[in-house]
Amino acid sequence: MEQLRTIGRELAMGSQGGWGQSKEFLDLVKSIGEVRSKAEEDRIIARELEHLKRRLADPDVPRRKMKELLLRLVYAEMLGHDASFGHIHAVKMTHDESLPLKRTGYLAVALFLDERHDLVILVVNTIQKDLRSDNYLVVCAALTAACRLIGEEAIPAVLPQVVELLAHPKEAVRKKAVMALHRFYQRSPSSVSHLVSNFRKRLCDNDPGVMGATLCPLYDLILEEPNSYKDLVVSFVNILKQVVERRLPTSYDYHQIPAPFIQIKLLKILAVLGSGDKQASGHMYTVLGDIFRKGDTASNIGNAILYECICCISSIFPNPKMLEAAAETTSKFLKSDSHNLKYMGIDALGRLIKINPDIAEEHQLAVIDCLEDPDDTLKRKTFELLYKMTKSTNVEVIVDRMIEYMINITDHHYKTEIASRCVELAEQFAPSNQWFIQTMNKVFEHAGDLVNIRVAHNLMRLIAEGFGEEDEGADSQLRSSAVDSYLRIVGEPKLPSSFLQIICWVLGEYGTADGKYSASYIIGKLCDVAEAHLTDDTVKAYAISAILKIFAFEIALGRKIDLLPECQTLVDELSASHSTDLQQRAYELQALLGLDKNAVESVMPADASCEDIEVDRNLSFLNSYVQQALENGASPYIPESERSGVISVGSYRSQEQQETSAHTLRFEAYEMPKPSLPLATSQTSMSTPTTDLVPVTEPGYYKEDHQTSKSQPPGDAVSGEFGVKLCLDGVQKKWGRPTYSSSTPSSLASSQQTTNGASHSDGGGSSSQPRESSYGSKRQQGTEVSAEKQRLAASLFGSAAAKADRKAQASRKTAKDSPSTEKVATTNVTAQPVKEQVIPAAPPPDLLDLGDEPVSSNPPSADPFSQLEGLLGPASAAPVLSGTPATSTSKAPDLMSIFSDDVPTGVASGSTDPTLGDVNSTSSHKGATAVASKKGPSLQDALQKDATARQVGVTPTGNNPNLFKDILG
Amino acid sequence: MINFVLLISRQGKVRLTKWYSPYTQKERTKIIRELSGLILTRGPKLCNFVEWRGYKVIYRRYASLYFCMCIDADDNELEVLEIIHHFVEILDRYFGSVCELDLIFNFHKAYYILDEILIAGELQESSKKNVARLIAAQACNPHIWLTYLFVFA
């Protein structure tokens, strides 16, 4: 049947000359359709382009034919060939009187050019004229083209007319005018900022289409400055209400849902306006509740609205009822069989856990399913979720997973991203230094060239400075473990350059520090590195410097050291190197070998990398030299600002900058030249910018003068372009903004290696067939879920369960000396999960109450500053907390826990910092609580939690074992 | 915001491209090559979304044609999926059960329709009726419809 239809169409097109196209064009399309290889296609298009070039240059071609030639040109360019020779013809066609030809011209111009193109200047004039046309279709075409082609410089030329069109009788024109203004705002916010009142007016337009379009610019404006639009909250809510209640014409319905696209835009706006604003959010709850109630989870578009609703709720001031509804919808998404909905569910979950981290627990298995899904998109989204919910308890599992995934992907862009996320998480939450070093090693080993070099420097500094504490032993232990691991790795082939740099630096600095390895062993290794990377000068430089340091340390210790033969070869080779830097380093090494102990000690002091270098910005060490020069008759230095009479380069440049910022293209006619007097003034003012004689009266003339003198072509080009035919292709840009430099990384060559080559149509995203093992059935057979998955779930989500344990380890700083506690903690966690997934963690009513809790009774945990105040002493800590002094004072110093803490539960009271907690609580409570806060979960804490829990209305039942774990344990 | 719209056939042939953000011709070719490698190989039951260079590409397959739209990271994927469908429904109404051949031979009409739906990368009109009315006002060749009637009778 499908084939028959195709044949029918082909017949029709063959016999009747097709759908308004000529035989030539149809032949071209057909032959392109039949080609077997890319090379063949290129040949055909090249021939076609030759042909078009000839025809377009022919002055006798009828205009109707011209239209078709232009379309063929568009076709060729669509296939990726350069048709720039024809662009000027498209521009010419926009001047045509006939509407179809003009539209074709605009279409082609909009496809060929963008706002940075030189030819746009020729279209601006036409657009200006067409915006004034009586035919609204012409105006529409011009507005569409304006959206695409009017760049920052040309906005003033068309702006007044576009603003006038906002009051056009035809709604299509008003709508496009609004969209054009939106585009102008994106290009240059300042040019449209005075028009905000117009947007507000258009919001009340009779036509829903215009109103809907106005939401686009308003959204951008509100995003920029939410506070000036708070008065519109009620209007937006009213509009949304009317839409939901189906007051709009039914033509805006889409799949039986009233104006869904407008709903979504409104929800986006409300999310911004309600963020952190209790009063504004208060207006929204009712309508959001309505949307949830009426929500249609069967259709894609219904889910799109629900998703946007969840986004809105997670952004505005939290309301327990709303959060409950959002969580419910999220779980529906996650339980769905459609991958799309799962993806949205994961995203929604990521938003909700910011408000209430406990929501994640309920969905742990669904999340893990997504993590192990063959679909890469879903997997990446899940990694994003895990990234958001990382805490010190689950960081190891998450980062290990991330690295494992990172190793296997080829997409550079994503690899970079995930590598930097690993680094960030490791830096923030690392439980122990060994783990940190190992993790960083893995990241550098597999993605070393992709991560920021700053990260490498951070790592070196970290190893050098330790963790900023007085415990030298731990620091040196860290260094020797780093040296150990580097000596193991260094022999491996294909290590990234930045990783090798770290290795060399650390080996040079600390390789011999603990006396485990002999100097010659380390030097041998370093020589190997330098030899294995002949082309990388930076690595070689690091290696030779490291060797130099080791020699220096050895000599300083008074040991005798021989230059190994391979080292000698290396030094010889480097002293003959083309790189002067390498030469210098090699000669320095040779010179150092000849020095005695004392000299070496002062040249290369041990552990000098930690010393701060003070930069003498005033160059005071040169004072005597300057003094001497002055005595010898040199003229003194006069700062630029004090110079007068001389044209100073700096001020001239700043003036020039001013000029260019004021200099935009002018579309009105040039003024008549003025007598030469003002010119003289302007010139003097140019040389002495401090005088007040800037010619305010003739700014236009002054500007022009400057402009033409700076760049000759514009004046000529503008005036002459219509008279003489300019061949502008290939001509370098002389004015306007510099040519576009690619904003996207150009080194991407990723191809997804999915084995599934064949694929078949899926009509509606939501109607995919149920998967065999749906989430529901999985839950029922909870016991059958593989043990491995449960373990994973435990290590990822168990954190909330093992809050008590977390306190023991808290941050990297405090946990450094307790790897054993670490292990205990993790095993505790692994013991938890099975129970957890059978019994839902928190019954719904609790969620309600708990959601309310943090706001009302536990503000300190939300405010890091008030916590910091706790450090100052009891006086400042007192007002922050009403009845719970012990908990929050002890919590105050631990800044890390703010990020990892479960704020909304309220019962998750402070993690105690063993070192600082002491000081605080002794001072405030005369040592009564000091004992309690010393180590991990304390009796005091537990009682406190119990009290809070009772306040909130949660009773310690079997339903909620995790919350009260610390009481029981 | 939608950065570009791309229609590619299952064989990787480009049927329509509309760029709302500035890209050079070279970048365009590269993007098309990269995305067709990414999208055409995906299985039928996977997500209709692909994360790509910090953007998201939403695609939907109709018969042998893939409709792709590239959006910013904070846009609503499901909404864009429906914008694609909205576009297809309007094409369908205009061409009368649209097929790939219609888009091949009348790609400029598809462009006109797209211009009425999206402007500067944003959805400008969500009412099918309004779009159809405008397109009808602009179309000056009613004979096309007769041809269709003839073919499908």
Side-chain angles (χ1 to χ4, degrees), chain A residues 217-264:
Chain A
L218 278 175
Y219 176 63
D220 274 10
L221 287 166
I222 290 171
L223 215 52
E224 197 62 39
E225 204 184 342
N227 284 330
S228 12
Y229 297 88
K230 294 283 185 193
D231 57 315
L232 285 179
V233 170
V234 180
S235 320
F236 285 130
V237 170
N238 275 336
I239 296 172
L240 185 56
K241 207 179 211 156
Q242 288 175 24
V243 174
V244 175
E245 287 168 358
R246 296 182 179 274
R247 304 264 189 82
L248 289 193
T250 48
S251 69
Y252 282 89
D253 283 9
Y254 178 85
H255 293 198
Q256 280 88 49
I257 309 259
F261 300 109
I262 294 178
Q263 283 192 45
I264 288 173

Side-chain angles (χ1 to χ4, degrees), chain A residues 613-623:
Chain A
I613 298 171
E614 275 178 37
V615 179
D616 186 358
R617 285 176 193 285
N618 293 329
L619 307 178
S620 56
F621 57 91
L622 284 175
N623 280 351

Side-chain angles (χ1 to χ4, degrees), chain A residues 594-880:
Chain A
L595 295 177
D596 68 339
K597 190 180 164 203
N598 289 335
V600 168
E601 250 174 4
S602 58
V603 172
M604 297 290 293
D607 212 16
S609 64
C610 293
E611 274 166 31
D612 290 330
I613 298 171
E614 275 178 37
V615 179
D616 186 358
R617 285 176 193 285
N618 293 329
L619 307 178
S620 56
F621 57 91
L622 284 175
N623 280 351
S624 61
Y625 174 77
V626 172
Q627 200 59 42
Q628 203 181 354
L630 284 177
E631 275 164 16
N632 288 343
S635 57
Y637 174 76
I638 304 168
E640 269 176 30
S641 51
E642 287 165 27
R643 277 174 235 181
S644 58
V646 203
I647 295 176
S648 68
V649 183
S651 58
Y652 181 72
R653 194 180 295 137
S654 75
Q655 173 135 1
E656 195 175 37
Q657 264 162 12
Q658 229 172 14
E659 275 307 311
T660 42
S661 66
H663 149 210
T664 45
L665 281 180
R666 293 154 47 89
F667 292 91
E668 61 268 32
Y670 285 109
E671 292 159 41
M672 290 301 288
K674 297 263 158 48
S676 60
L677 185 62
L679 179 69
T681 353
S682 76
Q683 226 125 46
T684 44
S685 78
M686 211 156 75
S687 52
T688 54
T690 41
T691 48
D692 293 329
L693 279 172
V694 182
V696 191
T697 40
E698 277 93 24
Y701 179 72
Y702 172 51
K703 219 182 283 170
E704 275 161 36
D705 168 62
H706 196 74
Q707 181 186 332
T708 38
S709 66
K710 224 170 25 178
S711 55
Q712 212 60 33
D716 300 349
V718 173
S719 59
E721 65 210 353
F722 293 104
V724 196
K725 241 183 227 164
L726 272 180
C727 179
L728 281 168
D729 44 336
V731 177
Q732 219 185 354
K733 237 184 186 184
K734 284 285 190 287
W735 74 96
R737 283 195 282 157
T739 31
Y740 179 63
S741 62
S742 110
S743 66
T744 40
S746 55
S747 63
L748 277 182
S750 67
S751 61
Q752 221 58 34
Q753 259 134 39
T754 317
T755 43
N756 204 343
S759 47
H760 61 77
S761 165
D762 87 310
S766 57
S767 66
S768 54
Q769 289 160 2
R771 283 203 329 179
E772 261 178 62
S773 56
S774 72
Y775 181 76
S777 65
K778 209 170 266 172
R779 266 186 85 92
Q780 279 160 12
Q781 338 154 333
T783 44
E784 286 172 38
V785 178
S786 74
E788 197 191 336
K789 253 184 205 173
Q790 286 175 5
R791 252 201 313 282
L792 182 58
S795 38
L796 288 179
F797 297 90
S799 52
K803 276 166 203 152
D805 299 318
R806 175 157 45 79
K807 283 166 210 158
Q809 48 191 31
S811 68
R812 173 147 50 91
K813 271 184 192 164
T814 51
K816 64 186 303 179
D817 51 350
S818 61
S820 54
T821 350
E822 207 56 52
K823 262 181 207 133
V824 177
T826 24
T827 44
N828 271 356
V829 177
T830 31
Q832 281 295 321
V834 193
K835 239 191 296 170
E836 242 170 39
Q837 55 107 24
V838 182
I839 312 154
D846 294 349
L847 185 69
L848 236 172
D849 294 335
L850 292 175
D852 218 7
E853 221 272 331
V855 197
S856 52
S857 79
N858 205 4
S861 55
D863 182 2
F865 291 104
S866 62
Q867 298 206 337
L868 275 174
E869 278 168 23
L871 281 168
L872 299 176
S876 55
V880 181

Side-chain angles (χ1 to χ4, degrees), chain A residues 9 21 29 103 148 175-176 183 252 254-255 308 340 343 375 377 744 746 748 752 756 759, chain B residues 19-20 30 38 41-42 47-49 53 61 76 82 89 102 104-105 116 125 130 138 152:
Chain A
R9 288 190 185 203
Q21 318 285 6
V29 173
R103 286 182 69 224
R148 171 85 183 139
K175 188 177 63 195
K176 287 199 163 69
R183 189 61 159 183
Y252 282 89
Y254 178 85
H255 293 198
E308 205 58 60
N340 287 349
Y343 179 93
D375 187 349
T377 310
T744 40
S746 55
L748 277 182
Q752 221 58 34
N756 204 343
S759 47
Chain B
W19 310 88
Y20 295 106
K30 195 155 176 254
L38 211 60
T41 50
R42 281 175 70 83
C47 281
N48 290 70
F49 325 131
R53 294 195 199 171
R61 184 179 162 169
N76 183 336
E82 290 310 296
E89 281 183 347
D102 292 314
I104 299 175
F105 290 110
E116 291 305 325
E125 183 58 74
N130 285 357
Q138 289 161 352
F152 291 112

Side-chain angles (χ1 to χ4, degrees), chain A residues 322-373:
Chain A
M322 293 292 115
L323 282 176
E324 191 195 344
E328 205 176 299
T329 313
T330 306
S331 78
K332 264 186 213 153
F333 283 172
L334 283 170
K335 285 172 193 166
S336 153
D337 291 323
S338 147
H339 272 67
N340 287 349
L341 287 186
K342 278 190 188 170
Y343 179 93
M344 303 311 272
I346 294 279
D347 187 274
L349 197 58
R351 291 167 191 271
L352 289 178
I353 54 164
K354 276 188 207 145
I355 302 171
N356 183 359
D358 285 353
I359 294 176
E361 259 172 72
E362 200 186 319
H363 303 294
Q364 38 185 297
L365 282 186
V367 170
I368 286 166
D369 271 352
C370 291
L371 191 63
E372 282 166 4
D373 200 278

